């Protein structure tokens, strides 16, 4: 019940959460399986199934009630499955045809709840789990220092961008005051412009 209330406090309705397949995990073994961990996983936790453009679940992200503190002192609010690459999230209640229709603007957010809120409000939205996840990290490692160092992350290539209006919708306070977020936003905008999008 407290997870349901937490989602409602984020502005998400029960029908939205049900359509997105969000669920609670209370079994440590189940949490460990979701995260590819040995031993026990963090519970209780909210589980967010990440779906691709076809609606297939490609991985599950957890939001533990008691988040882990990293070695650098930062808090791991969300847990990514160990050994897996970040994925682009396509809300499953959006028809694939809407993702493919360049006449429909698309909103790029930095978190699954924000993408769901945008869809709930009538937008076509996708998200990445963080502002710096929109580029292909493996490609960058292989081409560091070269002209083609930066490339959009795989998964987003399924969305036609040329001639399409695309809104970058990162957190407003961060895009005004947080230099790494400002740089990530500018980098994403450049990649989208290079793909032919009209970037807002």
């Amino acid at each position: 019940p407290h997870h349901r209330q937490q989602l409602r406090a984020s502005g998400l309705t029960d029908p939205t959460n049900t359509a997105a397949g969000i669920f609670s995990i209370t079994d440590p073994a189940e949490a460990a399986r979701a995260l590819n961990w040995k031993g026990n996983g963090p519970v209780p936790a909210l589980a967010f199934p990440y779906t691709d453009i076809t609606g297939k679940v490609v991985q599950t992200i957890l939001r533990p009630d008691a988040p882990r503190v990293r070695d650098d002192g930062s808090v791991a609010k969300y847990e990514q499955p160990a050994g897996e690459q970040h994925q682009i999230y396509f809300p499953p209640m959006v028809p694939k045809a809407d993702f493919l229709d360049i006449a429909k603007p698309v909103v790029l957010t930095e978190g699954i709840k924000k993408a769901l809120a945008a869809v709930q409000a009538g937008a076509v939205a996708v998200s990445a789990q963080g502002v710096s996840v929109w580029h292909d990290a493996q490609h960058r490692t292989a081409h560091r220092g070269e002209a083609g160092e930066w490339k959009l992350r795989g998964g987003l290539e399924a969305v036609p961008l040329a001639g399409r209006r695309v809104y970058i919708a990162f957190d407003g306070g961060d895009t005004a005051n947080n230099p790494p977020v400002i740089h990530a936003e500018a980098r994403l905008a450049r990649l989208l412009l290079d793909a032919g999008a009209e970037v807002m």
Side-chain angles (χ1 to χ4, degrees):
H2 73 280
H3 284 161
R4 189 180 299 277
Q5 194 56 42
Q6 184 184 119
L7 293 166
R8 288 172 179 163
S10 293
L12 300 179
T13 65
D14 290 350
T16 294
N17 300 325
T18 298
I22 301 170
F23 62 100
S24 295
I25 291 182
T26 56
D27 179 0
E30 183 183 1
R33 282 192 298 274
L35 296 176
N36 302 325
W37 287 12
K38 294 179 180 177
N40 291 327
V43 291
L46 260 173
F48 296 91
Y50 256 51
T51 41
D52 65 14
I53 196 169
T54 70
K56 176 185 173 185
V57 176
V58 291
Q59 67 181 191
T60 300
I61 304 292
L62 299 191
R63 190 182 196 282
D65 287 10
R68 174 176 57 91
V69 178
R70 300 184 182 97
D71 292 341
D72 64 2
S74 63
V75 175
K77 191 187 299 185
Y78 290 87
E79 293 286 359
Q80 171 87 12
E84 295 183 16
Q85 293 187 32
H86 287 279
Q87 302 287 334
I88 301 296
Y89 173 69
F90 293 83
M93 65 284 290
V94 177
K96 182 179 178 181
D98 287 358
F99 290 122
L100 299 179
D101 186 355
I102 66 168
K104 293 183 182 292
V106 64
V107 177
L108 306 185
T109 75
E110 57 173 295
I112 188 170
K113 290 195 291 186
K114 293 168 189 148
L116 291 172
V119 169
Q120 191 173 269
V124 174
V126 299
S127 80
Q129 197 60 28
V131 297
S132 62
V133 181
W134 292 101
H135 68 273
D136 186 323
Q138 288 185 322
H139 175 85
R140 185 187 179 209
T141 299
H143 299 277
R144 192 177 296 274
E146 300 175 12
E149 176 178 351
W150 298 98
K151 176 184 171 186
L152 287 170
R153 176 170 291 281
L156 199 58
E157 78 277 353
V159 179
L161 296 171
R164 188 174 202 164
R165 176 168 286 192
V166 180
Y167 292 90
I168 301 176
F170 295 168
D171 286 354
D174 286 340
T175 56
N177 303 306
N178 188 324
V181 173
I182 294 168
H183 292 155
E185 182 184 48
R187 179 172 58 241
L188 175 57
R190 179 73 267 166
L191 291 171
L192 293 168
L193 288 167
D194 290 345
E198 177 191 359
V199 182
M200 309 296 285

